[in-house]
Structures are given as C-alpha cells and as structure tokens.
C-alpha cells in the first residue's frame, strides 16, 4: 500500500519550516533537495504499488534520498541510517517534517528501496536534472533507418555528444574453474542432505565422497605452484564428484516426481538449475581443452554476471555489467547497460537518435573511441551532417599544412573525449561504480544509475554555486564603479 506524500512535503519546502530550529539555506543537502523533482517522481514511484491495502510504505522522497545519501557517504546501510538519525539536514533531505532522534526506518529498508525503484525511474529523474526533454529516451523509429530525417524544428546540428563504454565490476570472488566446481559440489551435497532429511532417499543416503573431494581440493588450493597438469587433474576430479551428486539428485527426482518443488526452497531450486548449467559448461571446456564458452557462469550466487574483456593495464578481464554512457554539456547519462559483452560501436546510431529526440536536432559532433568508427556509422554520420572524430578514411592528404591541421584537430578532440574517461575515474574511485556490492541483478542496475544521478547532482550544484559567485562578484564590481572617486585634499 502507498499513500501520496507530495502534498505533505510541500509544507516543508523551506528550511525555516523544518521544526523549530531553522536550517542553513546554504547547506549542500538543502540545495540538492531543490534540484530533484520529488512530486513527479512520487507519482511514478506510486505505480509500483498495486495493492491498496496493508501498511503504508515509506515516501518516495525517503527512498530515493536515502540511496543518494548512501552513495555520497560510501558506507554501509546501518551507517547510513545512523547518520540520518543524528543529522537534521539529512532528515530534511529525505522529507521528514521535523527533526527526530530515532531512526526513521530500519537499515533493511534500503534493500526494499533498491527493489522498488526501477532503472527507468532513475533514468527519468536523471533526464529531468540534466535538462533532456524526452520522457523515456526512446529514439524515433529505433534509430535503425539509414535515411536522414529532418529535425523537429528544422534546426542545424548543435552540441557535442561524447560516447564510451566501461565495465561496472561486481563484488565477487575471482572465478577459477577449480574453485567454481568445488563450490558447486558443496551446494549439490547440501541439496542431497535436504532430500535425505525429508526421507526421499529411501533410508540410504547417496555416497558423495565429500571428505575425499574436500581433501583433494584443499591440497590443490594450498599448492603455490599450480601447473597446468595439476589444474587439469583437479578439474577432472571435481567434475567427477559433481557429476555423481547431480546424478544422485536426478535419481531421487525420478523416483519421487515433483519432490524437488515440494521440498527445496526457491533459492535452492534456482541454485540447482545453475549447478547443472555450470557442469555442462565446465565439461564442454574440459573436453575441448579450451577456456571459452557462451554465457559462461563465473559466480553461482550471481549467475547473470559475465566476463567482460576490456584489455586494461591492471586487469584484462572484468566481471560485471558493460555500461555505455554519454556526456552532454558535462552531464553523464546511461545509454545502454547489458550483462553480456557487446560491441559498443553498434549503439552509436541509437544514441544519436536519442539525442535528437531530446534536443530536437542531431549533435554537431560525436566524440568516441575508434571502435565506433565503423563504415556504417561513418555513413550514418555523413548523411546527417555529424562530425565523427578520428582520421578520415583513405590516404592522408599530400599537403603537409592540411595534414598537420588534421592531426592537430584529432589531438584536440581526443583531449575533449577524455572528459568521459575522467568521469569514469571519478565514479569508480569516489563512488561505488568500481565495485557494485549489491547481489541482485535489478539492484545492481539501480546502483549504477544512482552513481550517475549523484554525480550529476553534484556537478549541477557546483555550477550553480559558481554562477552565484560570479553574480556576486559582478555586483560588487558594479558597486565599486558606481561609487565616486574621492581624491585626497592637499593642504596649501
């Protein structure tokens, strides 16, 4: 059940109305609260509650505000609730009518907030903050047509669109084939124990050799020099133990049809499905003597996570979602996010069409990496009068002056494209984009959007403060100029 809180929150839009003690209107959290469209967001938040009965849920402002506070403070859920309980500015930011000493909600509610807020809702809030006009960001005709379309207002191309992709690594253990198989074997043994406890094994528990398997894996893990021969031997052993356990579970299911659905919890059923997929993948790689397979599972608890080959200096492979982002006028926006590796060059046309849907015209320039410079994208940009950075196709011009100017332009544009790389660095070092600690697919996608939203709010606040400072400086200069100049009186 959800009740609208927008009318109640409007009474406390001014800091002086926050209880009896007036708040500082120049505080960062007071200013940030003025940048977010709370009322419109609440109507979208209400759509997630289908039932009209039950205990009223926390307000939308409290849900989104607490996630933004957590992202800015970079601490645990318990610490966030403790900070809110002792800070009146944070309580004002989440929409409380007056300061209170007790915590407004339990720390477990932050998990509920992440589940109730959708990535589409956060994309809408982010678009409102950065000044985009489109409500859903859907490009017209899907951006697939190669025929140039006229702009909404027949305007010329304006602005610069910067595109690039990065990986948002998940907080998982570094996956190896041996460790995954050992963990899968232990999970299969737990399922057999549950089935045996419910009397589905006809009084005789299947033999699992768990002590022997555990001893062999411990001997392998403690070995500092793991040769290829030793690794392959350990994988073969763990594959045999896992196959034996899965066959025992299958025999129990054949003897007692429907017993798994009746006895095992939902999470165990999902884990059993993952175990069978993992065994099939590992057996295929072991038989073919390869390390690659489609939709490879690298985590049993998060089977949707995939290895993303990025070729970075510190890590060739990262494990998480691949996110393509754009920068327009200094503000970040998530263009695409997938858990499988994809070629970001195929998304340039959709991003350009989304830009046109928002601003009424195509960008004048698109600054992107060399992977975006495909022949299809070059033809697309040329047909619409969009300049795509990078060297032109064909031989360089013979004129040395023209060739020098082209190289200088490429060098300057590569420096401008570095803005999105800097934003990635800020998001991964200052915020949680470098290590997503949420454990669900939905909440991980929400966490990435919260990082982007927090960075844009901080940037807009800095720009507003800079503009205010410039206005004050200019007003002070005008007052000095308008004052008459007083010359010193000289005694005769």
């Amino acid at each position: 059940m959800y009740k609208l809180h927008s009318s109640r929150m409007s009474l406390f839009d001014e800091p002086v109305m926050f209880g009896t003690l007036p708040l500082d209107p120049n505080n960062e959290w007071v200013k940030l609260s003025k940048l977010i469209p709370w009322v419109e967001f609440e109507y979208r938040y209400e759509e997630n509650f289908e039932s009209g009965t039950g205990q009223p849920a926390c307000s939308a402002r409290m849900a989104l505000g607490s996630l933004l506070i957590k992202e800015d403070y970079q601490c645990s859920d318990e610490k966030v609730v403790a900070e809110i309980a002792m800070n009146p500015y944070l309580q004002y930011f989440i929409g409380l009518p007056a300061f209170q000493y007790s915590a407004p909600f339990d720390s477990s509610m932050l998990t509920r907030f992440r589940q109730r807020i959708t990535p589409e809702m956060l994309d809408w809030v982010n678009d409102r903050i950065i000044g985009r006009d489109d409500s859903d960001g859907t490009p017209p005709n899907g951006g697939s047509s190669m025929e140039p379309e006229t702009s909404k207002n027949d305007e010329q191309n304006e602005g610069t669109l910067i595109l690039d992709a990065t990986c948002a690594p998940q907080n998982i253990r570094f996956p190896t084939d041996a460790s995954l198989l050992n963990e899968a074997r232990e999970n299969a043994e737990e399922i057999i124990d549950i089935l045996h406890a419910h009397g589905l094994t006809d009084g005789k528990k299947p033999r699992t050799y768990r002590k022997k398997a555990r001893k062999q894996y411990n001997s392998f893990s403690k070995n500092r020099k793991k040769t290829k021969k030793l690794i392959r031997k350990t994988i073969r052993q763990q594959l045999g133990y896992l196959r034996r356990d899965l066959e025992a579970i299958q025999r129990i299911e054949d003897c007692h049809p429907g017993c798994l659905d009746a006895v095992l919890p939902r999470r165990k059923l999902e884990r059993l499905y993952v175990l069978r997929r993992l065994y099939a993948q590992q057996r295929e790689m072991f038989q073919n003597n390869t390390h690659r397979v489609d939709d490879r599972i690298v985590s049993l608890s998060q089977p949707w996570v995939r290895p993303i080959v990025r070729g970075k200096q510190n890590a060739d492979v990262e494990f998480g979602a691949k996110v393509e982002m754009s920068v327009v006028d200094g503000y970040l926006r998530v263009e695409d996010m997938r858990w499988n590796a994809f070629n970001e060059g195929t998304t340039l046309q959709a991003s350009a069409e989304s830009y046109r849907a928002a601003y009424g015209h195509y960008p004048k320039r698109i600054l992107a990496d060399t992977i975006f410079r495909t022949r299809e994208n070059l033809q697309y940009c040329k047909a619409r009068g969009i300049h795509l950075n990078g060297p032109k196709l064909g031989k360089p011009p013979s004129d040395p002056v023209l060739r020098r100017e082209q190289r200088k332009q490429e060098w300057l544009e590569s420096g401008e494209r570095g803005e999105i790389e800097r934003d990635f660095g800020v998001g991964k070092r200052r915020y949680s984009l470098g290590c997503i600690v949420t454990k669900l697919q939905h909440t991980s996608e929400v966490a990435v959007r919260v990082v982007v939203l927090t960075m844009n709010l901080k940037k807009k606040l800095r720009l507003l403060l800079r503009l205010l400072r410039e206005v004050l400086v200019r007003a002070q200069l005008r007052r000095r100029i308008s004052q008459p100049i007083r010359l010193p009186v000289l005694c005769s």
Side-chain angles (χ1 to χ4, degrees):
M1 179 182 178
Y2 187 80
K3 292 183 179 180
L4 291 176
H5 297 75
S6 56
S7 59
R8 188 177 66 183
M9 284 190 298
S10 62
L11 299 176
F12 309 99
D13 285 342
E14 297 298 329
V16 295
M17 297 296 296
F18 189 74
T20 58
L21 182 64
L23 299 180
D24 183 11
N26 296 322
N27 184 268
E28 179 184 18
W29 293 105
V30 174
K31 292 183 176 296
L32 285 177
S33 65
K34 306 299 181 183
L35 302 178
I36 303 175
W38 298 112
V39 178
E40 294 85 350
F41 176 77
E42 186 174 19
Y43 284 105
R44 292 176 174 265
Y45 186 73
E46 183 193 12
E47 296 176 356
N48 293 335
F49 296 85
E50 300 178 355
S51 176
T53 60
Q55 182 180 1
C58 296
S59 65
R61 179 167 179 170
M62 185 176 295
L64 179 59
S66 59
L67 295 182
L68 294 175
I69 294 172
K70 174 179 171 57
E71 189 59 41
D72 183 70
Y73 276 61
Q74 286 296 292
C75 55
S76 62
D77 295 350
E78 293 79 7
K79 185 63 175 178
V80 169
V81 176
E83 290 290 337
I84 293 175
M86 64 181 180
N87 194 327
Y89 290 98
L90 299 183
Q91 293 189 15
Y92 169 78
F93 183 72
I94 64 176
L96 292 182
F99 178 73
Q100 61 185 37
Y101 292 107
S102 61
F105 52 85
D106 189 73
S107 59
S108 62
M109 285 301 300
L110 284 168
T111 303
R112 298 294 183 185
F113 295 158
R114 286 187 286 264
Q115 293 175 351
R116 291 170 181 171
I117 297 178
T118 62
E120 292 76 18
M121 295 166 58
L122 293 175
D123 288 339
W124 176 85
V125 175
N126 187 65
D127 290 344
R128 288 291 303 272
I129 291 174
I130 66 180
R132 291 178 68 100
D133 295 334
D134 56 339
S135 58
D136 55 356
T138 303
N141 299 332
S144 58
S145 176
M146 288 299 297
E147 296 297 329
E149 301 178 4
T150 58
S151 300
K152 295 179 180 179
N153 302 324
D154 295 333
E155 297 180 355
Q156 298 295 327
N157 297 350
E158 296 180 4
T160 301
L161 176 64
I162 307 177
L163 296 174
D164 202 356
T166 186
C167 180
Q170 290 290 122
N171 186 28
I172 62 173
R173 181 190 61 192
F174 187 84
T176 60
D177 295 336
S179 63
L180 285 174
L181 288 172
N182 176 70
E183 184 182 0
R185 175 189 58 81
E186 293 176 349
N187 281 262
E189 292 169 356
E190 292 179 2
I191 295 177
I192 293 177
D193 294 341
I194 295 175
L195 297 178
H196 178 69
H198 285 79
L200 298 177
T201 58
D202 299 333
K204 185 178 181 181
K205 188 176 181 180
R207 183 175 296 179
T208 58
Y209 295 98
R210 65 180 66 192
K211 292 183 179 180
K212 182 179 179 180
R214 180 63 181 173
K215 183 178 180 180
Q216 291 176 348
Y217 178 75
N218 286 340
S219 176
F220 166 79
S221 62
K222 294 177 181 179
N223 194 332
R224 295 185 177 182
K225 297 182 179 180
K226 298 179 176 63
T227 61
K228 292 184 178 180
K229 183 178 180 180
L230 179 61
I231 294 174
R232 187 168 177 83
K233 176 183 176 182
T234 305
I235 293 175
R236 183 181 71 252
Q237 292 173 347
Q238 297 298 321
L239 274 174
Y241 295 129
L242 180 59
R243 175 187 57 81
R244 186 183 186 93
D245 295 340
L246 293 178
E247 289 178 352
I249 296 174
Q250 185 64 39
R251 287 195 300 269
I252 295 174
E253 185 180 9
D254 295 340
C255 296
H256 305 275
C259 64
L260 298 182
D261 297 334
V263 173
L264 295 180
R266 179 180 59 86
R267 290 187 178 181
K268 291 295 182 181
L269 288 174
E270 295 176 355
R271 182 60 58 87
L272 178 59
Y273 174 72
V274 175
L275 297 181
R276 290 170 174 171
R277 288 180 54 196
L278 175 69
Y279 172 75
Q281 292 180 358
Q282 293 292 333
R283 184 184 60 181
E284 178 182 352
M285 290 189 295
F286 181 80
Q287 293 176 352
N288 298 332
N289 198 13
T290 182
H291 297 283
R292 187 189 181 281
V293 69
D294 295 336
D295 297 329
R296 183 176 181 178
I297 296 176
V298 295
S299 174
L300 296 181
S301 59
Q302 303 179 42
W304 53 85
V305 178
R306 296 288 179 267
I308 306 296
V309 180
R310 299 296 298 164
K312 300 299 181 180
Q313 184 176 2
N314 56 347
D316 294 336
V317 182
E318 295 177 319
F319 306 95
K322 190 172 183 178
V323 188
E324 185 197 355
M325 297 189 189
S326 64
V327 172
V328 178
D329 297 331
Y331 294 105
L332 275 174
R333 184 177 187 271
V334 177
E335 297 289 339
D336 196 358
M337 180 176 178
R338 308 180 198 175
W339 292 96
N340 290 316
F342 64 95
N343 185 355
E344 56 264 33
T346 59
T347 62
L348 181 140
Q349 301 180 20
S351 300
E353 295 294 339
S354 177
Y355 183 96
R356 173 182 171 271
Y359 300 103
H361 52 77
Y362 289 107
K364 186 176 182 180
R365 297 186 305 165
I366 295 182
L367 306 182
D369 202 355
T370 54
I371 195 173
F372 290 86
R373 290 181 54 81
T374 61
R375 191 171 298 274
E376 293 78 9
N377 290 339
L378 291 173
Q379 295 176 357
Y380 173 87
C381 293
K382 182 178 180 181
R384 289 156 179 80
I386 303 173
H387 170 70
L388 183 60
N389 69 311
K392 297 182 179 180
L393 297 179
K395 296 182 178 180
S398 57
D399 187 1
V401 177
L402 182 59
R403 185 168 61 251
R404 191 181 305 111
E405 291 179 356
Q406 289 184 359
R407 291 180 179 178
K408 182 178 180 180
Q409 182 183 7
E410 295 172 8
W411 178 74
L412 292 175
E413 289 178 344
S414 64
E416 294 183 52
R417 193 188 68 83
E419 180 181 2
I420 193 170
E421 298 287 354
R422 292 189 292 271
D423 290 338
F424 288 162
V426 173
K428 291 187 176 183
R429 293 185 177 272
R430 168 62 178 85
Y431 301 100
S432 62
L433 191 63
C435 183
I436 306 298
V437 298
T438 51
K439 298 183 181 299
L440 299 179
Q441 182 176 357
H442 172 82
T443 55
S444 299
E445 295 174 359
V446 169
V448 173
R449 264 78 172 192
V450 172
V451 173
V452 175
L453 181 58
T454 305
M455 294 178 61
N456 288 336
L457 284 171
K458 294 287 186 177
K459 183 176 183 61
K460 191 165 188 178
L461 181 61
R462 290 194 300 269
L463 294 178
L464 291 177
L465 293 177
R466 185 183 306 171
L467 179 61
L468 179 61
R469 185 164 51 251
E470 292 178 357
V471 171
L472 294 177
V473 171
R474 291 179 182 178
Q476 187 176 5
L477 290 176
R478 284 196 298 267
R479 285 197 301 269
R480 291 181 179 180
I481 294 175
S482 61
Q483 292 179 356
I485 301 176
R486 297 183 179 180
L487 298 176
V489 178
L490 300 177
C491 297
S492 57

